[in-house]
Amino acid sequence: MNTSSKKVAAGMAGFASVLWLGLTAAVAANQRRLVFNPTIIPEVNSPRSSGHRTRPIVLRAKDGTRLCGWLMTPRTPGPRPAVLYFGGRSEEVSWVVRDAGNLFPNMTVLALNYRGYGNSHGIPDETLLVEDGCTLFDWLAALGQVDARRIAVVGRSLGSGVAVQVAKERAAHSVVLITPYDSILAIAKKKFRAMPIEYMLRHRFESIKHAPSLKVPTYVLRAESDDIVPHSHTDQLCEKLANLILDDIVPGSDHMNIPYLEATQSRIAGFLTQRFSAPLETPELIQTVA
């Protein structure tokens, strides 16, 4: 190689290094945007549940941040089981109110938007979202007409990572995970193979690390076609879950439409109804869901 060729090669190598460093810096600087995608516009205007009394609610996080969403209570009185719902990466949760009658019949439901989503204030952050989730669980458990021994935690996609950590920290009765993953870090490492993502990513949502400590009955629902959370990442999580009761694939579903499908909603309603009706002292293992 002559001197001119060496200079060209060196220049190209230098350019590649600068480009790699630039891309690495861009990923590091925008990682919150890569993990979270706050949706402000409500999915459903003036949402109401046909099976519940519905009211908008504003709660305060430990640091005073306003968290906004909805509380749905059954129309019949008496201590009721309850559900705490955590949404996905781009999800505004008003749709849960609309569909709560099918998803969570005869259950009290609390669905609040994350920080920065919907009308909630603040900026999303993994540590804060989990802290907020624990605060919401405690608030729900102290609510009149709620059976504090029967509170399920339900999380979709990104929210599955919040749900797993909250259920580990609080006395959840059962857990439902919709299109869950082993960790956001593992997914990001595959997407950004040439970058030292493990040194850059702050919001890791490593559910696989918490799964062995999750002793309560857990139900996993997968999309039949999922290009956001490949089944291999759900497989890794399921292998570590300490009390996996069911692992279902919903026919005709993809990552985006799965929670809205009648097949998904009936499965979740059936699982939770059966779990909540089982005696607390000797809960039965569920083999099938109607």
Side-chain angles (χ1 to χ4, degrees):
M1 181 180 294
N2 58 37
T3 302
S4 178
S5 297
K6 289 180 179 179
K7 288 182 178 180
V8 171
M12 291 296 293
F15 174 76
S17 297
V18 170
L19 180 61
W20 183 85
L21 289 172
L23 289 173
T24 300
V27 170
N30 293 286
Q31 62 173 279
R32 178 176 277 116
R33 190 176 302 172
L34 293 171
V35 176
F36 308 103
N37 183 35
T39 300
I40 307 299
I41 300 173
E43 185 166 337
V44 178
N45 291 318
S46 302
R48 310 295 284 180
S49 169
S50 60
H52 300 80
R53 294 185 178 90
T54 306
R55 66 183 176 100
I57 192 167
V58 177
L59 299 178
R60 295 280 183 177
K62 284 187 175 181
D63 63 1
T65 299
R66 286 168 54 93
L67 304 176
C68 303
W70 292 268
L71 174 68
M72 291 144 276
T73 55
R75 297 185 183 280
T76 53
R80 294 290 174 181
V83 172
L84 179 58
Y85 178 82
F86 298 106
R89 173 179 179 265
S90 304
E91 182 178 334
E92 193 280 328
V93 299
S94 58
W95 75 270
V96 176
V97 184
R98 179 197 63 200
D99 293 1
N102 295 327
L103 276 163
F104 310 120
N106 300 311
M107 307 168 200
T108 295
V109 185
L110 183 62
L112 268 69
N113 280 305
Y114 297 136
R115 293 167 180 248
Y117 289 66
N119 290 325
S120 293
H121 295 183
I123 298 172
D125 173 279
E126 178 183 2
T127 300
L128 292 176
L129 263 55
V130 173
E131 182 180 277
D132 292 346
C134 290
T135 298
L136 298 180
F137 187 100
D138 295 342
W139 184 88
L140 188 57
L143 189 67
Q145 303 302 310
V146 165
D147 183 350
R149 302 167 302 170
R150 290 183 168 90
I151 299 178
V153 177
V154 178
R156 173 193 177 193
S157 192
L158 176 72
S160 69
V162 181
V164 165
Q165 294 188 57
V166 171
K168 177 188 173 186
E169 296 296 325
R170 294 296 186 268
H173 175 274
S174 47
V175 175
V176 176
L177 304 176
I178 307 167
T179 60
Y181 46 81
D182 48 355
S183 75
I184 294 295
L185 175 62
I187 293 175
K189 286 175 73 172
K190 284 189 176 179
K191 185 173 183 179
F192 303 102
R193 293 180 183 274
M195 299 180 185
I197 199 72
E198 63 270 25
Y199 301 107
M200 301 157 51
L201 190 63
R202 175 184 173 190
H203 311 287
R204 299 182 173 214
F205 289 97
E206 295 182 276
S207 296
I208 195 167
K209 289 187 175 181
H210 306 289
S213 301
L214 200 63
K215 305 300 184 183
V216 298
T218 303
Y219 182 21
V220 167
L221 294 103
R222 311 181 190 218
E224 183 175 38
S225 175
D226 198 330
D227 58 358
I228 305 298
V229 179
H231 285 191
S232 60
H233 287 278
T234 305
D235 290 340
Q236 294 295 319
L237 176 67
C238 288
E239 288 177 5
K240 296 295 183 179
L241 285 168
N243 194 3
L244 178 63
I245 301 297
L246 285 169
D247 178 6
D248 274 352
I249 296 176
V250 180
S253 63
D254 58 37
H255 191 83
M256 301 306 295
N257 73 5
I258 184 171
Y260 308 109
L261 299 179
E262 181 181 351
T264 304
Q265 296 187 1
S266 64
R267 280 169 164 80
I268 293 173
F271 174 81
L272 290 176
T273 298
Q274 286 185 292
R275 291 312 314 173
F276 285 144
S277 64
L280 288 172
E281 295 76 15
T282 55
E284 300 172 357
L285 292 179
I286 300 176
Q287 300 301 323
T288 61
V289 172

